[in-house]
Amino acid sequence: DAKTTQPTSMDCAEGRAANLPCNHSTISGNEYVYWYRQIHSQGPQYIIHGLKNNETNEMASLIITEDRKSSTLILPHATLRDTAVYYCTLTGSNDYKLSFGAGTTVTVRA
Amino acid sequence: EPEVTQTPSHQVTQMGQEVILRCVPISNHLYFYWYRQILGQKVEFLVSFYNNEISEKSEIFDDQFSVERPDGSNFTLKIRSTKLEDSAMYFCASSPGTSVYNEQFFGPGTRLTVL
């Protein structure tokens, strides 16, 4: 079972930032937070991951709270192509598999 | 940019028949995975494969399922006797394996329809 909780859905205006929350209150010390997305039944696509520091790459930023019990994925300038299901998941040092929950369905509107 | 490929994109079979789903992981990746997604449901882990053996499998991966890396490039999932409930999208993934924290790269999936 996924150890994260996410809102079921959210809308975002094109060109605006999209902030996707994720709660992981039972996260353990060696678990990383990973974000993937799935566009219309395609294979999931890696976005970003982090342990405790904030991370940024060309796709998104990841903000992890100091207690690590929650995080936020930020898509800085959402486009219509960012419409997808976004998954927040945890992976630890002894756990190679990804456990996906229901994710957040993000709809970017023009 | 290297990518994971899967064939066929869509497979239709009769219940009880054997199917083999094929995947070509990214070259030089060391860890290989199969996941499935029943229509409208979440993506579920099936099995992980490393160093020519299964490293972890889920409850779904019963005796009807098997995986193989027959040569240096292909990674296959075999379902011995398909059931109606095996109808799903099957995704192959690979990761570099240099760290357990490496991201996984997914293929486009094979849609399996069991009639």
Side-chain angles (χ1 to χ4, degrees):
Chain A
D1 287 333
K3 298 193 294 182
T4 62
T5 56
Q6 301 176 249
T8 302
S9 64
M10 63 183 295
D11 285 1
C12 177
E14 188 179 21
R16 304 295 295 270
N19 297 301
L20 283 64
C22 178
N23 287 320
H24 31 80
S25 58
T26 61
I27 191 170
S28 58
N30 67 349
E31 287 185 309
Y32 278 64
V33 180
Y34 277 76
W35 284 83
Y36 283 77
R37 72 181 183 183
Q38 187 176 25
I39 298 173
H40 188 59
S41 297
Q42 297 176 20
Q45 176 189 24
Y46 166 80
I47 301 173
I48 198 167
H49 72 280
L51 182 63
K52 55 182 178 180
N53 296 321
N54 298 338
E55 301 288 344
T56 296
N57 63 21
E58 65 278 3
M59 287 184 70
S61 295
L62 175 60
I63 309 297
I64 302 174
T65 57
E66 192 168 340
D67 63 9
R68 302 207 323 121
K69 292 185 177 181
S70 66
S71 59
T72 301
L73 177 75
I74 301 173
L75 306 177
H77 304 288
T79 71
L80 298 178
R81 290 180 296 178
D82 292 323
T83 292
V85 180
Y86 287 77
Y87 301 102
C88 169
T89 184
L90 307 179
T91 298
S93 60
N94 297 317
D95 187 7
Y96 289 68
K97 67 180 183 293
L98 293 170
S99 297
F100 293 95
T104 297
T105 299
V106 174
T107 303
V108 181
R109 302 192 187 281
Chain B
E1 185 174 323
E3 59 185 18
V4 176
T5 59
Q6 293 185 241
T7 54
S9 57
H10 191 187
Q11 173 91 46
V12 180
T13 189
Q14 296 291 324
M15 188 170 55
Q17 295 295 303
E18 174 184 286
V19 294
I20 298 176
L21 309 183
R22 291 183 167 78
C23 168
V24 178
I26 293 173
S27 177
N28 297 323
H29 279 194
L30 300 177
Y31 284 85
F32 313 109
Y33 310 83
W34 284 101
Y35 294 80
R36 80 171 186 188
Q37 185 175 32
I38 296 171
L39 186 64
Q41 298 186 22
K42 63 183 182 180
V43 178
E44 300 173 290
F45 167 78
L46 292 179
V47 65
S48 60
F49 192 84
Y50 170 72
N51 200 25
N52 282 320
E53 62 182 24
I54 291 173
S55 52
E56 187 174 1
K57 60 183 180 180
S58 71
E59 293 177 353
I60 303 168
F61 196 88
D62 61 22
D63 292 343
Q64 292 298 312
F65 291 87
S66 62
V67 289
E68 192 177 36
R69 189 157 161 80
D71 52 43
S73 59
N74 290 285
F75 179 51
T76 62
L77 174 69
K78 180 192 290 186
I79 308 175
R80 212 177 322 278
S81 177
T82 51
K83 308 183 189 71
L84 295 176
E85 54 265 37
D86 293 328
S87 294
M89 280 289 285
Y90 288 81
F91 296 108
C92 172
S94 69
S95 68
T98 52
S99 164
V100 68
Y101 302 114
N102 287 144
E103 62 267 32
Q104 294 182 23
F105 295 81
F106 284 76
T110 292
R111 180 172 299 283
L112 177 64
T113 302
V114 182
L115 303 176

